[in-house]
Structures are given as structure tokens and as C-alpha cells.
Amino acid sequence: MGLDCILEDEFGEELGEVDDTDGTLAAAWPAGDPSYVYLRRVDLEGTTAFNRLQLADVMPELERLAEAAPTVRPRLRAILALARKAEAEPHLHLRFLGD
């Protein structure tokens, strides 16, 4: 089971992507961890999207997870780069797609 992350515009066009083909990101994801208020609600078997207003709260959790999960740190840093772009520009959102 993987957890891909996609940066999309308002029309659904993909502007960037981080793949999790080997499932290591999904395995390290803080599903159910109450200290991750937003990330724990990412559906590992479905789709979860965050708009730029929500990303203001999601970004600190992504940063904390990147520090706590060294095995997937490069992927999380790539996701953070996509999230920063989505947070900075209107009409973009960050979508997580689980298997």
C-alpha cells in the first residue's frame, strides 16, 4: 500500500508528484496518532486534499514528521516543497492518494 502526493491546480491538472511505490511513506505515516491533528486524518485507502488555508496547519506536522521519520525524509521534504507552492499560490491544493 502506497501513499502518493500530488500538487494540483483548480482544474485537476497535476503540477508535481511524489510517488510512494514501495509503500515506505504509507508505513511511516502517523495514521491514528493523536499528536498529528491533520495528518492522522489522511485516508491511506482513499483521497484526502488540503487547500492553501488548511496547509498553514498541515505544514508544521509535515515538518515534524520529516524529522521523526528519517527513512522517508527525502520524500517528506519533496512533499513539503509541493505544500509550500500550494500554500503560496491561489487555486492549488495538495492531494494525498492512498491505495
Side-chain angles (χ1 to χ4, degrees):
M1 175 167 77
L3 182 64
D4 298 336
C5 182
I6 301 166
L7 175 65
E8 293 181 334
D9 68 10
E10 63 187 314
F11 304 108
E13 183 178 338
E14 293 184 16
L15 306 174
E17 183 175 8
V18 176
D19 290 325
D20 185 31
T21 54
D22 62 1
T24 55
L25 180 61
W29 203 257
D33 183 338
S35 70
Y36 289 89
V37 176
Y38 297 94
L39 295 185
R40 74 175 184 207
R41 290 183 169 86
V42 170
D43 186 351
L44 297 178
E45 296 177 0
T47 301
T48 307
F50 295 106
N51 64 35
R52 73 181 187 149
L53 297 177
Q54 294 165 324
L55 283 169
D57 296 319
V58 172
M59 295 282 289
E61 291 188 11
L62 285 170
E63 291 168 353
R64 182 163 50 109
L65 183 59
E67 292 304 313
T71 59
V72 291
R73 189 171 292 147
R75 284 191 186 145
L76 287 165
R77 287 187 177 150
I79 290 170
L80 278 163
L82 295 178
R84 285 185 188 101
K85 185 170 184 174
E87 187 180 34
E89 297 179 30
H91 309 296
L92 299 181
H93 63 273
L94 196 67
R95 181 168 57 100
F96 289 92
L97 181 60
D99 284 341

